[in-house]
């Protein structure tokens, strides 16, 4: 909860929803009745246009957006994490939100329709803004401030629509592509459009948006949660890498990449380079501070490391989110703490990499404020960049199980920009250039507190550097809802999943390379300043706990079905894509189910 989310935001969103949302999507989303307000009324002033765009931002928030479903359910399971759920292959799944994690969502799953509808509502809100803001008299004939404000709002709407389309493509592949308000559409039953065409459209939109938006920190531009030029360029780079990457194709039912993929690496490279040269964004010197001192403390990150974030606030499932409730540590039994880190992910980190213990926690806090080891059937590790014991400004009381935390969600950070640049440079040159290595090094050396002697050797060949990029993105961006989608665009998801499943079973049995991992760990009783274990994470456990310590299962925590439960229903060349939902298909005769569903 930062600058953009306030009582003013709530009021403006309320006005926009009344005036716009009911005026649109009549058949496409079965919303009615028609609004009494026309476009001239809704877009009568800069403040009106601002309210309309804020209403479009609102689609990203809440349980259905980046406050819950998207990053925790749609983006799991992956080789970082496991969504805690009794939703295994043997059980058959709940065919609800948690089925999305296990890759066993059926075409009858109503979660699919709910997400689909809210995203197309967001697209329609953006379409209203994209159509009407440039038509406003003040857009061309207002004061300089009016024109600058409306250009920015126009750029924000273009960027938001691109984000909505991008997410929908990640989930469903080829989808309908309305680029005009539904109220103006001659036919609302649109067929699926080839995703490459949509990608190209929104890449062009983002190029235009970047000409309309100011940089962070430009004169008169406050540092808040609104989209700026850097955010539009970073999103354009990300989408270009997906346009260049692999995806499951409807015709072949195989993972394929386009023949002209290389030009999209050039787009990604150039956009990231512009951001890097702008001087408007840089890394926070402390990786931990980004999360503990900014996100968890409800403060804007001051270095511009966070280029785009979803502001969440209000204490409800519409405008807020359960960030740090679904994931993170439990305090006094409160908090869901149900995004579990895989042990194979924990042990993939170098032991000196400080990002490990920011991204992953192996403790809970009891009612007396004491740190204790976690003992569950899901193991001792939780994803924990957002955790209850770090919440401040205001803090979450230990005795509260309130789910909505007001913690914003990071969409794109500067470290991601540096790694995208390095990846694109490596692909374009078939080897890492000096510029690619420099960008990569900035990210990696911070993970070792600036000590280059600890970070290891950076590969100088194409294949080695690409492998380093795939690992570094995992270390740097873990728990931020990106890993699954990276694996898909690299066409590595099937290979990585098979390798991870094998290693999970070896970890459970403490077979090589996990022979020396402890079966259990011993934590210091009554510690109120942090978890204290009696021995290393990397050594066999002693037979009995030392005096003053209690035991918690470690490798022995994992049951004999864990490796098969994790991502249990994944099927290569099918489950990279979700089925269309039942209401979506029944309401649109132009759509056909595909991909083997």
């Amino acid at each position: 909860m930062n600058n953009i989310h306030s009582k003013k935001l709530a009021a403006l969103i309320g006005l926009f929803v009344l005036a716009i949302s009911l005026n649109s999507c009549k058949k496409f989303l079965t919303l009615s009745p028609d609004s009494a307000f026309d476009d001239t009324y809704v877009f009568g002033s800069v403040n009106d246009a601002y309210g309309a765009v804020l209403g479009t931002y609102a689609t990203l928030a809440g349980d259905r957006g980046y406050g819950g479903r998207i990053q925790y359910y749609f983006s799991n399971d992956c080789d970082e994490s496991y969504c805690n759920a009794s939703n295994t292959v043997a059980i058959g799944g709940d065919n609800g939100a948690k089925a999305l994690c296990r890759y066993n969502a059926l075409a009858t799953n109503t979660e699919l329709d709910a997400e689909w509808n809210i995203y197309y509502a967001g697209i329609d809100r953006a379409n209203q803004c994209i159509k009407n803001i440039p038509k406003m008299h003040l857009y061309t004939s207002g004061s300089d401030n009016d024109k600058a404000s409306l250009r920015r709002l126009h750029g924000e709407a273009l960027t938001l629509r691109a984000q909505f389309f991008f997410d929908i493509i990640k989930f469903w592949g080829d989808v309908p592509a309305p680029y005009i308000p539904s109220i103006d559409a001659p036919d609302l039953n649109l067929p699926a459009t080839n995703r490459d065409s949509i990608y190209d459209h929104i890449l062009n939109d983002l190029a235009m948006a970047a000409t309309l938006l100011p940089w962070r920190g430009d004169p008169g531009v406050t540092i808040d949660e609104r989209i700026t030029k850097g955010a539009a360029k970073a999103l354009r780079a990300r989408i270009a890498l997906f346009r260049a990457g692999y995806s499951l194709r409807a015709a072949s039912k195989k993972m394929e990449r386009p023949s002209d993929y290389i030009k999209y690496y050039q787009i990604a490279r150039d956009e990231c380079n512009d951001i890097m040269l702008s001087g408007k964004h840089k890394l926070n010197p402390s990786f931990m501070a980004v999360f503990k001192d900014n996100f968890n403390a409800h403060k804007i990150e001051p270095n511009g490391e966070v280029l785009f974030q979803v502001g969440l606030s209000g204490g409800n499932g519409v405008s807020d989110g359960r960030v740090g409730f679904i994931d993170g540590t439990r305090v006094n039994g409160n908090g869901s703490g149900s995004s579990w880190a895989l042990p194979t992910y924990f042990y993939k980190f170098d032991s000196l990499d400080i990002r490990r213990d920011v991204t992953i926690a192996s403790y809970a806090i009891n009612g007396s404020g004491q740190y204790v080891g976690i003992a569950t059937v899901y193991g001792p590790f939780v994803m924990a960049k957002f955790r209850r014991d770090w919440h401040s400004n205001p803090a979450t009381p230990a005795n509260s199980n309130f789910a909505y935390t007001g913690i914003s969600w990071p969409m794109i950070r500067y470290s991601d920009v540096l790694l995208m640049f390095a990846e694109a440079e490596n692909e374009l040159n078939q080897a890492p250039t000096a510029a690619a290595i420099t960008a990569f090094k900035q990210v990696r050396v911070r993970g070792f507190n600036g000590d280059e002697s600890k970070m290891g050797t950076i590969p100088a060949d194409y294949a080695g550097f690409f492998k380093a990029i795939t690992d570094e993105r995992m270390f740097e961006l873990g728990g931020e809802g990106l890993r699954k989608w990276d694996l898909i665009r690299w066409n590595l998801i099937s290979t990585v999943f098979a390798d991870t499943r094998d290693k999970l079973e070896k970890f459970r049995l403490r077979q090589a390379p996990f022979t020396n991992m402890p079966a259990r760990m011993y934590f210091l009783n009554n510690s109120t300043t942090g978890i204290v274990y009696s021995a290393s994470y990397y050594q066999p456990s002693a037979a009995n706990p030392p005096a003053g310590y209690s035991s918690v299962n470690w490798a022995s925590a994992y049951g004999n079905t864990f490796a098969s439960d994790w991502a249990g229903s994944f099927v290569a060349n099918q489950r990279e894509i979700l089925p269309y939902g039942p209401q979506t298909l029944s309401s649109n005769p132009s759509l056909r189910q595909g991909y083997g569903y």
Side-chain angles (χ1 to χ4, degrees):
M1 177 179 64
N2 299 310
N3 297 349
I4 198 172
H5 282 273
S6 62
K7 292 181 180 178
K8 181 179 180 181
L9 170 63
L12 288 170
I13 289 175
L15 171 65
F16 179 71
V17 170
L18 174 65
I20 291 290
S21 294
L22 296 181
N23 191 40
S24 64
C25 310
K26 294 182 298 181
K27 297 177 184 177
F28 199 77
L29 298 171
T30 64
L31 295 177
S32 61
D34 290 347
S35 171
F37 301 113
D38 63 15
D39 293 339
T40 303
Y41 179 89
V42 175
F43 294 91
S45 68
V46 172
N47 278 342
D48 292 341
Y50 179 56
V53 172
L54 289 186
T56 309
Y57 273 103
T59 306
L60 294 170
D63 280 331
R64 291 286 171 193
Y66 282 89
R69 290 290 195 276
I70 292 177
Q71 70 272 36
Y72 295 122
Y73 298 119
F74 279 80
S75 301
N76 265 307
D77 291 338
C78 66
D79 59 331
E80 295 171 350
S81 55
Y82 173 85
C83 180
N84 172 7
S86 296
N87 196 54
T88 65
V89 177
I91 294 170
D94 64 355
N95 205 31
K98 293 170 184 175
L100 303 173
C101 307
R102 295 294 97 77
Y103 300 87
N104 62 357
L106 305 177
T108 55
N109 191 313
T110 57
E111 289 287 331
L112 303 171
D113 289 322
E115 206 72 28
W116 177 280
N117 287 343
I118 199 166
Y119 259 90
Y120 274 103
I123 288 171
D124 202 62
R125 292 178 182 185
N127 284 340
Q128 292 275 9
C129 296
I130 292 164
K131 170 194 170 185
N132 288 296
I133 291 174
K135 291 168 59 178
M136 293 173 64
H137 173 73
L138 296 174
Y139 193 88
T140 53
S141 301
S143 67
D144 288 346
N145 284 340
D146 287 343
K147 289 188 285 188
S149 295
L150 290 174
R151 284 196 300 269
R152 181 178 185 182
L153 291 166
H154 185 197
E156 288 173 282
L158 287 165
T159 306
L160 288 166
R161 184 173 69 176
Q163 180 67 55
F164 298 146
F165 271 123
F166 176 47
D167 282 337
I168 291 171
I169 290 171
K170 286 190 303 183
F171 305 153
W172 286 286
D174 298 340
V175 294
Y179 300 119
I180 61 174
S182 59
I183 196 72
D184 299 331
D187 184 4
L188 295 173
N189 293 321
L190 299 178
T193 300
N194 183 286
R195 75 203 64 171
D196 292 343
S197 171
I198 304 174
Y199 275 142
D200 289 342
H201 190 108
I202 60 178
L203 286 170
N204 289 335
D205 281 350
L206 287 166
M208 180 180 180
T211 69
L212 301 169
L213 291 162
W215 285 105
R216 168 195 179 271
D218 277 358
V221 178
T222 58
I223 299 174
D224 56 21
E225 292 170 343
R226 293 179 64 184
I227 288 166
T228 59
K229 190 188 297 286
K233 285 180 166 291
L235 180 59
R236 189 167 189 251
R238 177 178 284 175
I239 292 173
L241 290 181
F242 276 77
R243 175 67 170 87
Y246 289 84
S247 59
L248 182 59
R249 298 293 172 166
S252 67
K253 295 183 176 60
K254 292 182 179 179
M255 294 289 292
E256 297 174 343
R257 79 188 313 178
S259 59
D260 60 348
Y261 70 91
I262 202 69
K263 74 179 184 181
Y264 297 98
Y265 278 99
Q266 187 68 53
I267 291 173
R269 185 263 177 210
D270 291 346
E271 294 292 8
C272 292
N273 192 53
D274 284 352
I275 297 167
M276 291 158 59
L277 294 176
S278 72
K280 301 293 186 177
H281 299 277
K282 62 182 180 180
L283 294 179
N284 189 312
S286 167
F287 181 79
M288 177 181 281
V290 175
F291 299 96
K292 185 176 182 180
D293 299 339
N294 298 118
F295 282 106
N296 286 275
H298 303 90
K299 296 178 181 178
I300 295 289
E301 198 287 318
N303 299 279
E305 172 160 345
V306 181
L307 288 90
F308 183 16
Q309 61 187 350
V310 177
L312 301 167
S313 69
N316 60 67
V318 176
S319 62
D320 209 330
R322 294 178 291 158
V323 180
F325 178 87
I326 295 175
D327 56 345
T329 53
R330 303 194 79 198
V331 179
N332 194 25
N334 296 312
S336 175
S338 60
S339 183
W340 294 81
L342 297 183
T344 46
Y345 179 39
F346 180 89
Y347 282 106
K348 190 163 186 174
F349 279 92
D350 187 292
S351 62
L352 300 177
D353 191 333
I354 62 171
R355 295 173 295 186
R356 184 195 68 186
D357 293 341
V358 174
T359 305
I360 303 170
S362 61
Y363 66 85
I365 300 175
N366 65 23
S368 300
Q370 299 162 351
Y371 287 71
V372 297
I374 304 172
T376 75
V377 295
Y378 302 104
F381 303 113
V382 291
M383 301 298 288
K385 281 180 173 172
F386 312 97
R387 56 181 86 175
R388 293 176 76 82
D389 50 313
W390 284 358
H391 296 184
S392 61
N393 187 37
T396 300
N399 62 352
S400 169
N401 203 36
F402 189 65
Y404 297 100
T405 63
I407 296 175
S408 298
W409 182 260
M411 298 288 277
I412 304 177
R413 294 193 289 112
Y414 186 59
S415 54
D416 194 349
V417 171
L418 293 169
L419 292 175
M420 288 193 292
F421 175 84
E423 179 183 345
E425 276 280 283
N426 188 51
E427 196 70 32
L428 290 167
N429 296 281
Q430 289 296 289
T433 61
I437 291 172
T438 298
F440 177 90
K441 186 177 177 181
Q442 283 187 61
V443 178
R444 184 151 181 83
V445 75
R446 182 178 67 167
F448 293 84
N449 262 338
D451 191 339
E452 293 185 24
S453 68
K454 296 177 180 177
M455 71 175 192
T457 302
I458 299 174
D461 64 295
Y462 168 80
F465 193 73
F466 174 72
K467 177 62 166 60
I469 288 285
T470 65
D471 286 344
E472 199 65 23
R473 289 186 65 82
M474 188 182 197
F475 301 140
E476 176 68 23
L477 303 168
E480 296 180 45
L482 301 174
R483 180 64 174 179
K484 171 182 171 179
W485 312 112
D486 277 344
L487 291 175
I488 289 173
R489 72 177 176 89
W490 291 324
N491 197 25
L492 291 176
I493 191 167
S494 184
T495 301
V496 167
F497 275 20
D499 180 67
T500 301
R501 200 176 307 283
D502 176 66
K503 284 187 168 60
L504 284 171
E505 183 65 4
K506 288 177 176 176
F507 179 81
R508 184 181 71 85
L509 298 172
R510 283 176 290 149
Q511 296 175 349
F514 305 108
T515 307
N516 292 323
M517 296 302 110
R520 64 189 60 83
M521 291 284 280
Y522 305 122
F523 62 88
L524 181 65
N525 297 329
N526 306 321
S527 173
T528 58
T529 58
I531 191 75
V532 179
Y533 287 108
S534 66
S536 167
Y537 295 130
Y538 302 88
Q539 295 175 356
S541 50
N544 297 299
Y549 285 76
S550 293
S551 173
V552 63
N553 287 337
W554 204 256
S556 60
Y558 297 93
N560 58 13
T561 64
F562 181 78
S564 60
D565 290 348
W566 166 80
S569 295
F570 177 76
V571 177
N573 295 312
Q574 184 194 38
R575 298 300 169 95
E576 295 91 349
I577 293 287
L578 288 164
Y580 299 133
Q583 184 186 55
T584 297
L585 283 177
S586 65
S587 64
N588 185 352
S590 298
L591 282 181
R592 298 290 183 272
Q593 196 70 272
Y595 308 106
Y597 287 102

